[in-house]
Amino acid sequence: MTTPALQDRSAPARLREARRQLVSNGRLPADLIQSDLARSWERSWQAGLQPMGRMPGAPNASGAQLARELERQRELVAHARPVMEFLHEQTRDSDSMSILAGADGMLLHTLGDPQFIGRAERVALRLGAIWQEQFRGTNAIGTALADARAVVVHAEEHYLERNGFLTCAAVPIHDPKGRILGALDVSGDHRGYHRHTLGLVRSAARMIEHRLFDTRHDPRQWSGLRLRFHIQPEGIGTVAEGLLAVTEDGQLAGANAAALELLDLDWERLTHTRVDAVLAETLAQLMDWGQRSSATPHVVHTRGARAVWVRVEAGRLPHGTRHGPITDVREAVATDKNADALAVLDTGDAVFQTAIARARKLMGKPIAILLQGESGVGKEVFARAAHRSGPRGEQPFVAVNCAALPENLIEAELFGYQGGAFTGARREGAPGRIREAHGGTLFLDEIGDMPLPLQARLLRVLQERVVVPLGGGKPVSVDFCLVCATHRDLPTEMQAGRFREDLYYRLNGLTLRLPPLRERTDLDQLLQRELHSLMPERAMSVSPEVMKAMQAYRWPGNVRQLFNALRTACALVEPDEDAINWEHLPDDLLLALKPHAPAARADCIGTAADATSDLRTLSRQTIERTVAECEGNLSEAARALGISRNTLYRRRRG
């Protein structure tokens, strides 16, 4: 859909008259403003916003909420930052700023001219502010997200009169499956309007989408094909190219807008279409080109008989050559259409499998789930997987740790507040975590640590499905799935008077116990999965002696402790090593494993650990003891240590 140039837009006088009639009659005359703009103004009016005068409090994230959102949107922000720096270079000193917003309209990153940023902050164009239409009226960010299209909103086209000094151009950002992740925007003083701004923003958004596509379908991880299209061979590799991801069995798995246009596709049909339905060439032919030479472009023909140039890139890990189980959720779905996020967590333990099977039966049903288990067993990981595997998987997953927040902040964090509800409250107020979970899943971790007064408020929300912010305001209806977790014995807590009995039975739709690591039978598979995740390019393993000691160890920190130890070990291995051995382990785990190590090895661990806590000294003494045990045979010693001869020579010298 084209965006009108400035001279084609409604005159300011007509916009002012349309606004006056809307306020007076509650209707917009059809002949005064463009139809797209009129629909947005009508949505803003129906949301209860008054176009003139002071605006009611709109939601603005707290520092903690913004930090959580930045962490959740880490991939998008990481790819957008360098592109926004480039965009800022093109617009520097033009009295403007570049803005990245998430799919909910929250501003995540800004960059621009300091003098304009100061003016923009007066109308809440600042980090954490939410610019959905329902809160800010017609604006480029909110309207681009609402209409899923590129938008320019100039001067008095803004629904709220107070935003009339702005001219804004925004473009939605899609992931390779077509889901809108957010929007990129350039906002400036309306007197500095430039017709080329929207084109510049559109190109920048396409650059971000390119980076997202390349990351999601990196040949080192993606086992299918990547196709790069253009009508000219010189266009391949530029921002104008079309991108298409194809699985090993020929299913389309991702694309960008340019590819959809070339192939006459849309986002809705993308993942339900095979490559042979859009290209005349066979999958076998494309595979052959990819395996032979990914640098050579070829001519292909679309089903519409259009000739285009394509470069085919094959993944480096073809089917059947993977080491260990699949660990990435996107990869699992791509290689097994029956897999989901819960299936990825299944590494063979019978108790854990039962918990997965029971959770899967409840997905999408209005039944609360209570996860019980020791600290570190992976309760939040399990909850996230259950959310992603259910019908609400594309909606928000909002996690709140009830034990980590000060008691005087939990209520505001959960239920939100009106502006000025308490000392230090933001002027715009905050929606609260429960409202943020609307449509998705609310995860309350360590629910057993929630103060009793808040337990009563939470029970009322669960019963009535409405939230009333602190400081008053209208009740807001909410719809979410509830998952809670605790390491406490809640029946015991009830008997002691620390947990409400009525809340317990409201939460306890289904209780799932996640076993501690010492009780699980799948330690080997867990190790393999995590090693493959940490070092996907290498076939890493754990030496038999270390594995035996790990199997006998009780793991008080559970899966969290195991994974942290493996991350450290992987950072310490040399480039030519393919096994985790004693010298790669953190000092505290090394000492903890000492009673479970074979006698000879335990002796060397004890000697080294008693002498010094320095890991290099420990490694050197372990090597020398092993060389002595092998009577100076360095090849045999290297095999016993699980390292190469070159590494053994280097470490003896160092």
Side-chain angles (χ1 to χ4, degrees), residues 291-479:
Q291 294 293 342
R292 284 190 187 182
S293 174
S294 61
T296 304
H298 303 271
V299 175
V300 297
H301 296 82
T302 69
R303 287 300 181 185
R306 186 178 188 181
V308 296
W309 289 87
V310 64
R311 190 172 76 203
V312 184
E313 300 170 346
R316 298 180 186 175
L317 294 174
H319 186 70
T321 63
R322 297 181 182 275
H323 300 288
I326 296 170
T327 58
D328 185 86
V329 173
R330 294 189 300 271
E331 188 182 344
V333 172
T335 56
D336 179 359
K337 55 189 175 185
N338 295 318
D340 58 19
L342 281 171
V344 174
L345 295 183
D346 183 1
T347 48
D349 179 75
V351 176
F352 210 83
Q353 285 177 336
T354 300
I356 289 173
R358 301 186 75 187
R360 187 175 280 114
K361 290 181 179 179
L362 265 64
M363 292 185 304
K365 298 179 181 177
I367 301 174
I369 295 176
L370 178 62
L371 302 178
Q372 291 196 304
E374 297 177 6
S375 179
V377 297
K379 296 186 287 292
E380 182 171 348
V381 172
F382 188 96
R384 287 184 183 275
H387 166 74
R388 287 198 301 267
S389 301
R392 299 177 183 242
E394 297 297 321
Q395 300 304 315
F397 178 90
V398 177
V400 180
N401 189 327
C402 300
L405 289 170
E407 185 172 337
N408 61 333
L409 293 182
I410 296 179
E411 189 170 15
E413 184 79 1
L414 275 177
F415 304 103
Y417 56 86
Q418 294 285 88
F422 53 88
T423 302
R426 288 180 174 272
R427 184 176 57 189
E428 302 85 357
R433 304 293 278 163
I434 293 177
R435 285 175 62 187
E436 289 175 3
H438 180 70
T441 298
L442 177 67
F443 175 63
L444 298 179
D445 198 7
E446 300 302 350
I447 186 70
D449 294 284
M450 178 178 282
L452 277 169
L454 265 70
Q455 293 179 27
R457 282 206 66 185
L458 176 62
L459 177 63
R460 183 162 187 170
V461 170
L462 297 179
Q463 290 172 336
E464 301 178 2
R465 292 287 164 168
V466 294
V467 174
V468 179
L470 290 180
K474 295 181 179 179
V476 180
S477 297
V478 287
D479 170 37

Side-chain angles (χ1 to χ4, degrees), residues 3 7 9 34 50 78 95 107 141 158 173 212-213 247 312 353 405 409 485 490 499 504 510 520 550 637:
T3 303
Q7 60 264 35
R9 296 176 175 276
Q34 301 152 359
Q50 291 296 320
D95 215 16
L107 306 197
I141 292 172
H158 287 86
I173 300 170
L212 287 165
F213 180 94
T247 66
V312 184
Q353 285 177 336
L405 289 170
L409 293 182
L490 292 187
F499 201 85
Y504 172 75
L510 173 68
R520 294 179 63 162
M550 285 183 168

Side-chain angles (χ1 to χ4, degrees), residues 636-651:
E636 184 179 340
R639 282 194 296 272
L641 291 165
I643 60 177
S644 69
R645 282 173 57 93
N646 289 338
T647 299
L648 181 59
Y649 290 142
R650 184 169 60 252
R651 291 194 175 176

